Amino acid sequence: MLDQWHEIVNNVREEYLSTTQNYPWIIGFSGGKDSTLVAHAVFEALMTMAPSQRTRPVHVVSNDTMVESPLVMAHLDEVTYLIDEAGRGLDLPITVARTKPDPDKTFWVLLIGKGYPSPNSSMRWCTDRLKIQPTSTYIKENVSKHGAAIVVLGVRRSESIQRMNTINKYENVRGTQLTEHTSIPGALIYRPIVDLTTDDVWEILGSFQAPWGGTHQKLFQLYRDAEGGECPVVLSKEEAPGCGTKNSRFGCWTCTVVEKDKSLQGFIDSGKHAYKPLVAFRDWLVDIRNDPARRSAVRRNGRLTFDLTGKHIPGPFTIQARREILDGLLKVQEEFGATLITTEEIDLIHKVWATDLQTEESLAHA
């Protein structure tokens, strides 16, 4: 294992020092085991170089959907702080960044403001707006600034059959270790741990101290409490099925795509009972999704819609249902004792309601 790890770090070092290009690296950092190992390898490789060799910028970018599991966000905040502080102290070319959805595209503004029905497997409107778009925007900005950018990912063939097929589908650009990004022109993908197994990842994390200080023991504990995996970094719609499946347990606490939120339930089972109201509220969002009394007959464009079989497709949640959801969320927030929805989101939700009520009134008098 020691030799395998040294081989990975050396490979990262050689790729960083490539003389064919000097495009910035963007590490997609979810705080999970795989992206942590990649960040570890890059950090360690940078420390082996002379300061004059560290000319390529490295961005450690994590995304906050604003409905992430609070325990996972707390871990992510702590680790990114340590990476940032250690990187500055060692004069490494590391920038730590956090992306978020646009204010009008957050989960609560779309669900409570515009009445989007709770996401499910056939209408998963959340992944693109909450995860793909914010990170893609950051990558595109760097592509625009530097001509190209290299996204460093902790994807592995052994994660799942789907992941293996996706990885095998795209060949490296000739003479390089890089593949072209499927949807962002100018972005390239580098996968330094692609051939590691899950056991390999845990063994390495357990064998080596975190180069930014401390150990990875809190990560081990997080997984133990949550009973397993995480929603991975998602950069394209092709990879979106990896989010919100039975194999992904970390992720948004509001995720109504999964049948049961195993990570939050795992935290509760390990003694963190403060999360019970969140699980109950998530389950309630699932239950009311298809309640005809809470859904408008028409879509947001004012039209009745039917599928190919002639079955009526209901519109968004009614204004009354949206008020009910907001009231419920605020009660859960008070009980939980931490922010679950921001003041800015509530203000925007009220503006959307005002506009929708004006539209309904206009249609009623048309």
Side-chain angles (χ1 to χ4, degrees):
M1 179 50 62
L2 186 63
D3 290 342
Q4 191 176 16
W5 176 239
H6 286 162
E7 188 178 331
I8 289 171
V9 174
N10 284 334
N11 183 277
V12 169
R13 175 188 163 89
E14 289 175 10
E15 186 61 38
Y16 180 92
L17 295 173
S18 167
T19 56
T20 60
Q21 40 76 19
N22 197 38
Y23 301 136
W25 279 10
I26 298 173
I27 301 174
F29 189 71
S30 70
K33 63 185 186 308
D34 298 318
S35 62
T36 296
L37 190 62
V38 167
H40 185 141
V42 172
F43 202 105
E44 195 165 311
L46 286 171
M47 289 197 299
T48 68
M49 301 173 200
S52 61
Q53 292 178 298
R54 303 172 193 152
T55 58
R56 185 194 301 267
V58 175
H59 302 252
V60 178
V61 182
S62 51
N63 183 58
D64 178 5
T65 61
M66 300 176 71
V67 282
E68 291 290 324
S69 168
L71 268 176
V72 175
M73 278 309 298
H75 171 74
L76 190 59
D77 287 344
E78 181 179 344
V79 175
T80 51
Y81 173 80
L82 290 172
I83 293 173
D84 190 35
E85 286 291 300
R88 290 173 190 272
L90 295 166
D91 200 25
L92 303 181
I94 291 177
T95 299
V96 173
R98 181 73 53 88
T99 57
K100 289 183 178 181
D102 290 338
D104 63 339
K105 294 176 182 172
T106 72
F107 185 83
W108 297 127
V109 169
L110 293 175
L111 187 133
I112 301 177
K114 294 188 176 181
Y116 283 26
S118 322
N120 62 12
S121 57
S122 62
M123 189 184 175
R124 191 169 44 193
W125 48 262
C126 47
T127 310
D128 182 54
R129 293 167 176 84
L130 306 187
K131 289 194 167 188
I132 297 174
Q133 290 184 19
T135 309
S136 295
T137 298
Y138 192 93
I139 296 169
K140 288 174 183 175
E141 288 172 353
N142 275 274
V143 169
S144 177
K145 185 177 179 181
H146 301 280
I150 296 172
V151 182
V152 188
L153 292 178
V155 295
R156 297 178 294 106
R157 284 192 174 86
S158 64
E159 283 179 65
S160 65
I161 297 293
Q162 164 130 12
R163 183 69 90 181
M164 182 173 66
N165 291 338
T166 302
I167 290 171
N168 293 341
K169 185 177 176 182
Y170 301 101
E171 294 182 355
N172 288 346
V173 177
R174 181 176 293 182
T176 76
Q177 302 184 79
L178 310 173
T179 56
E180 293 181 350
H181 195 288
T182 56
S183 58
I184 303 178
L188 298 159
I189 305 289
Y190 172 42
R191 302 167 297 202
I193 63 168
V194 69
D195 292 318
L196 292 186
T197 66
T198 299
D199 287 345
D200 293 337
V201 171
W202 283 123
E203 188 172 347
I204 294 170
L205 289 171
S207 301
F208 298 94
Q209 300 279 314
W212 42 80
T215 70
H216 296 300
Q217 285 309 306
K218 287 188 177 178
L219 184 64
F220 278 76
Q221 188 62 48
L222 196 65
Y223 273 78
R224 269 196 289 268
D225 289 348
E227 299 182 344
E230 78 270 33
C231 270
V233 172
V234 182
L235 293 174
S236 68
K237 292 180 180 178
E238 188 177 25
E239 293 181 339
C243 177
T245 68
K246 63 181 180 181
N247 294 321
S248 59
R249 300 188 183 97
F250 286 173
C252 303
W253 71 267
T254 55
C255 184
T256 50
V257 178
V258 293
E259 188 175 341
K260 289 289 180 185
D261 189 324
K262 294 181 180 177
S263 69
L264 277 186
Q265 189 58 53
F267 292 140
I268 293 168
D269 292 344
S270 64
K272 297 176 176 62
H273 299 295
Y275 293 91
K276 283 184 177 178
L278 276 64
V279 171
F281 188 73
R282 187 216 76 100
D283 291 346
W284 179 69
L285 286 180
V286 175
D287 291 341
I288 67 169
R289 184 187 193 281
N290 296 320
D291 179 1
R294 290 184 170 95
R295 298 282 293 273
S296 298
V298 297
R299 309 294 289 272
R300 287 188 59 80
N301 60 12
R303 295 179 179 173
L304 282 169
T305 306
F306 301 89
D307 65 16
L308 293 176
T309 67
K311 182 182 177 184
H312 174 237
I313 301 175
F317 283 125
T318 62
I319 294 284
Q320 292 76 13
R322 298 179 221 175
R323 290 185 193 278
E324 182 185 12
I325 297 170
L326 179 58
D327 289 345
L329 177 61
L330 292 175
K331 286 180 183 174
V332 171
Q333 178 171 264
E334 186 176 355
E335 188 175 355
F336 184 60
T339 300
L340 298 176
I341 181 171
T342 66
T343 303
E344 291 75 17
E345 287 179 295
I346 295 172
D347 289 344
L348 193 48
I349 285 168
H350 284 136
K351 288 179 182 175
V352 174
W353 287 355
T355 302
D356 283 3
L357 286 170
Q358 286 179 348
T359 302
E360 285 184 10
E361 192 172 351
S362 299
L363 289 172
H365 291 87

